[in-house]
Short mmCIF file of all heavy atoms in Angstrom, two decimals:
data_model
loop_
_atom_site.label_atom_id
_atom_site.label_comp_id
_atom_site.label_asym_id
_atom_site.label_seq_id
_atom_site.Cartn_x
_atom_site.Cartn_y
_atom_site.Cartn_z
N LEU A 1 110.87 83.15 104.13
CA LEU A 1 111.45 84.14 103.22
C LEU A 1 111.20 83.74 101.77
O LEU A 1 110.82 84.58 100.95
CB LEU A 1 112.94 84.28 103.49
CG LEU A 1 113.69 85.26 102.58
CD1 LEU A 1 113.11 86.66 102.73
CD2 LEU A 1 115.18 85.27 102.91
N LEU A 2 111.40 82.45 101.46
CA LEU A 2 111.17 81.98 100.09
C LEU A 2 109.71 82.15 99.70
O LEU A 2 109.39 82.54 98.57
CB LEU A 2 111.59 80.51 99.97
CG LEU A 2 113.09 80.23 100.00
CD1 LEU A 2 113.34 78.73 100.01
CD2 LEU A 2 113.78 80.86 98.78
N HIS A 3 108.82 81.84 100.66
CA HIS A 3 107.39 81.99 100.39
C HIS A 3 107.04 83.45 100.12
O HIS A 3 106.28 83.78 99.21
CB HIS A 3 106.59 81.46 101.58
CG HIS A 3 105.11 81.49 101.37
ND1 HIS A 3 104.47 80.64 100.49
CD2 HIS A 3 104.14 82.28 101.90
CE1 HIS A 3 103.17 80.89 100.51
NE2 HIS A 3 102.95 81.89 101.34
N ALA A 4 107.59 84.35 100.92
CA ALA A 4 107.33 85.78 100.74
C ALA A 4 107.85 86.27 99.39
O ALA A 4 107.21 87.08 98.71
CB ALA A 4 107.96 86.57 101.88
N GLN A 5 109.04 85.77 99.01
CA GLN A 5 109.61 86.17 97.72
C GLN A 5 108.74 85.70 96.57
O GLN A 5 108.54 86.42 95.58
CB GLN A 5 111.03 85.62 97.60
CG GLN A 5 112.04 86.28 98.53
CD GLN A 5 113.39 85.60 98.51
OE1 GLN A 5 113.51 84.44 98.12
NE2 GLN A 5 114.42 86.33 98.91
N GLU A 6 108.23 84.47 96.69
CA GLU A 6 107.36 83.94 95.63
C GLU A 6 106.08 84.76 95.52
O GLU A 6 105.62 85.08 94.43
CB GLU A 6 107.03 82.48 95.92
CG GLU A 6 106.16 81.80 94.86
CD GLU A 6 106.86 81.66 93.53
OE1 GLU A 6 108.10 81.78 93.47
OE2 GLU A 6 106.16 81.42 92.52
N ASP A 7 105.49 85.09 96.68
CA ASP A 7 104.29 85.93 96.68
C ASP A 7 104.58 87.27 96.01
O ASP A 7 103.75 87.80 95.26
CB ASP A 7 103.79 86.15 98.11
CG ASP A 7 103.14 84.91 98.69
OD1 ASP A 7 102.83 83.99 97.91
OD2 ASP A 7 102.94 84.85 99.91
N PHE A 8 105.75 87.85 96.31
CA PHE A 8 106.11 89.15 95.73
C PHE A 8 106.23 89.04 94.21
O PHE A 8 105.76 89.92 93.49
CB PHE A 8 107.42 89.64 96.34
CG PHE A 8 107.93 90.91 95.70
CD1 PHE A 8 107.41 92.14 96.06
CD2 PHE A 8 108.92 90.87 94.71
CE1 PHE A 8 107.87 93.30 95.46
CE2 PHE A 8 109.38 92.02 94.11
CZ PHE A 8 108.84 93.25 94.49
N ARG A 9 106.84 87.95 93.73
CA ARG A 9 107.01 87.79 92.28
C ARG A 9 105.67 87.60 91.59
O ARG A 9 105.44 88.15 90.50
CB ARG A 9 107.93 86.60 91.99
CG ARG A 9 109.39 86.87 92.34
CD ARG A 9 110.32 85.82 91.74
NE ARG A 9 110.15 84.54 92.38
CZ ARG A 9 110.92 84.10 93.37
NH1 ARG A 9 111.89 84.86 93.84
NH2 ARG A 9 110.72 82.90 93.90
N LEU A 10 104.77 86.86 92.22
CA LEU A 10 103.44 86.67 91.63
C LEU A 10 102.68 87.98 91.60
O LEU A 10 102.02 88.32 90.61
CB LEU A 10 102.66 85.62 92.44
CG LEU A 10 103.15 84.18 92.34
CD1 LEU A 10 102.38 83.29 93.29
CD2 LEU A 10 103.00 83.67 90.91
N GLU A 11 102.76 88.74 92.69
CA GLU A 11 102.08 90.04 92.75
C GLU A 11 102.66 91.00 91.72
O GLU A 11 101.93 91.76 91.09
CB GLU A 11 102.21 90.62 94.16
CG GLU A 11 101.47 91.94 94.33
CD GLU A 11 101.58 92.50 95.73
OE1 GLU A 11 102.38 91.95 96.52
OE2 GLU A 11 100.89 93.48 96.04
N HIS A 12 103.97 90.93 91.54
CA HIS A 12 104.63 91.80 90.55
C HIS A 12 104.10 91.49 89.15
O HIS A 12 103.82 92.41 88.37
CB HIS A 12 106.14 91.58 90.60
CG HIS A 12 106.91 92.47 89.67
ND1 HIS A 12 107.22 93.77 89.98
CD2 HIS A 12 107.41 92.25 88.42
CE1 HIS A 12 107.88 94.32 88.97
NE2 HIS A 12 108.02 93.42 88.02
N PHE A 13 103.95 90.22 88.82
CA PHE A 13 103.43 89.85 87.51
C PHE A 13 102.00 90.35 87.34
O PHE A 13 101.65 90.93 86.30
CB PHE A 13 103.48 88.33 87.32
CG PHE A 13 102.87 87.88 86.02
CD1 PHE A 13 103.59 87.92 84.84
CD2 PHE A 13 101.56 87.43 85.97
CE1 PHE A 13 103.03 87.53 83.63
CE2 PHE A 13 100.98 87.04 84.77
CZ PHE A 13 101.72 87.09 83.60
N GLU A 14 101.16 90.10 88.35
CA GLU A 14 99.74 90.44 88.23
C GLU A 14 99.52 91.95 88.15
O GLU A 14 98.63 92.42 87.43
CB GLU A 14 98.95 89.86 89.39
CG GLU A 14 98.91 88.34 89.43
CD GLU A 14 98.18 87.75 88.23
OE1 GLU A 14 97.49 88.49 87.50
OE2 GLU A 14 98.31 86.53 88.01
N LYS A 15 100.32 92.72 88.88
CA LYS A 15 100.11 94.17 88.94
C LYS A 15 100.89 94.95 87.89
O LYS A 15 100.42 95.98 87.41
CB LYS A 15 100.45 94.70 90.34
CG LYS A 15 99.48 94.29 91.41
CD LYS A 15 99.80 94.98 92.72
CE LYS A 15 98.76 94.68 93.78
NZ LYS A 15 99.04 95.38 95.06
N LYS A 16 102.09 94.47 87.55
CA LYS A 16 102.96 95.27 86.70
C LYS A 16 103.15 94.68 85.30
O LYS A 16 103.43 95.43 84.36
CB LYS A 16 104.35 95.39 87.36
CG LYS A 16 104.33 96.02 88.74
CD LYS A 16 103.96 97.49 88.66
CE LYS A 16 104.03 98.15 90.03
NZ LYS A 16 105.37 98.23 90.58
N ILE A 17 103.01 93.37 85.13
CA ILE A 17 103.33 92.74 83.85
C ILE A 17 102.07 92.36 83.06
O ILE A 17 101.89 92.79 81.91
CB ILE A 17 104.20 91.49 84.06
CG1 ILE A 17 105.46 91.85 84.85
CG2 ILE A 17 104.56 90.87 82.70
CD1 ILE A 17 106.30 92.94 84.26
N ARG A 18 101.20 91.59 83.67
CA ARG A 18 100.01 91.13 82.94
C ARG A 18 99.17 92.28 82.38
O ARG A 18 98.75 92.24 81.21
CB ARG A 18 99.14 90.23 83.82
CG ARG A 18 98.07 89.49 83.01
CD ARG A 18 96.94 89.01 83.89
NE ARG A 18 97.26 87.92 84.78
CZ ARG A 18 96.99 86.65 84.54
NH1 ARG A 18 96.44 86.31 83.39
NH2 ARG A 18 97.28 85.71 85.44
N PRO A 19 98.90 93.36 83.16
CA PRO A 19 98.10 94.45 82.59
C PRO A 19 98.74 95.10 81.36
O PRO A 19 98.05 95.49 80.43
CB PRO A 19 98.00 95.44 83.76
CG PRO A 19 98.18 94.62 84.98
CD PRO A 19 99.20 93.58 84.59
N VAL A 20 100.07 95.22 81.36
CA VAL A 20 100.75 95.82 80.20
C VAL A 20 100.68 94.88 79.00
O VAL A 20 100.43 95.32 77.87
CB VAL A 20 102.22 96.14 80.54
CG1 VAL A 20 102.94 96.72 79.31
CG2 VAL A 20 102.30 97.12 81.70
N LEU A 21 100.88 93.59 79.23
CA LEU A 21 100.75 92.64 78.12
C LEU A 21 99.35 92.71 77.52
O LEU A 21 99.18 92.70 76.31
CB LEU A 21 101.03 91.21 78.64
CG LEU A 21 102.46 90.89 79.05
CD1 LEU A 21 102.52 89.48 79.64
CD2 LEU A 21 103.42 90.99 77.87
N ALA A 22 98.35 92.79 78.40
CA ALA A 22 96.96 92.81 77.94
C ALA A 22 96.64 94.06 77.14
O ALA A 22 95.98 94.01 76.10
CB ALA A 22 96.01 92.67 79.12
N SER A 23 97.12 95.21 77.62
CA SER A 23 96.75 96.48 76.98
C SER A 23 97.64 96.84 75.78
O SER A 23 97.20 97.56 74.88
CB SER A 23 96.79 97.61 78.00
OG SER A 23 98.11 97.76 78.52
N LYS A 24 98.88 96.35 75.76
CA LYS A 24 99.83 96.77 74.73
C LYS A 24 100.20 95.67 73.73
O LYS A 24 100.71 95.99 72.65
CB LYS A 24 101.11 97.29 75.38
CG LYS A 24 100.91 98.46 76.33
CD LYS A 24 100.42 99.70 75.59
CE LYS A 24 100.32 100.89 76.54
NZ LYS A 24 99.83 102.12 75.85
N CYS A 25 99.98 94.41 74.09
CA CYS A 25 100.52 93.33 73.25
C CYS A 25 99.48 92.39 72.65
O CYS A 25 99.65 91.91 71.52
CB CYS A 25 101.51 92.49 74.07
SG CYS A 25 102.83 93.44 74.86
N PHE A 26 98.42 92.10 73.40
CA PHE A 26 97.48 91.07 72.95
C PHE A 26 96.78 91.44 71.65
O PHE A 26 96.31 90.57 70.91
CB PHE A 26 96.44 90.79 74.02
CG PHE A 26 96.98 90.10 75.24
CD1 PHE A 26 98.32 89.76 75.34
CD2 PHE A 26 96.14 89.79 76.31
CE1 PHE A 26 98.82 89.12 76.46
CE2 PHE A 26 96.64 89.15 77.43
CZ PHE A 26 97.98 88.82 77.50
#
């Protein structure tokens, strides 16, 4: 369960956070 949660958090960053930082902030 912990491993799955960590994978979910990493996927959330890569799909939902990093692209917005790159396009709106950098």
Side-chain angles (χ1 to χ4, degrees):
L1 178 61
L2 288 174
H3 184 71
Q5 290 173 339
E6 182 66 16
D7 286 346
F8 175 80
R9 288 194 291 264
L10 290 174
E11 183 179 9
H12 183 81
F13 176 82
E14 295 296 346
K15 290 187 175 181
K16 302 291 184 67
I17 305 304
R18 193 200 290 261
V20 178
L21 291 175
S23 62
K24 301 295 184 181
C25 306
F26 291 0

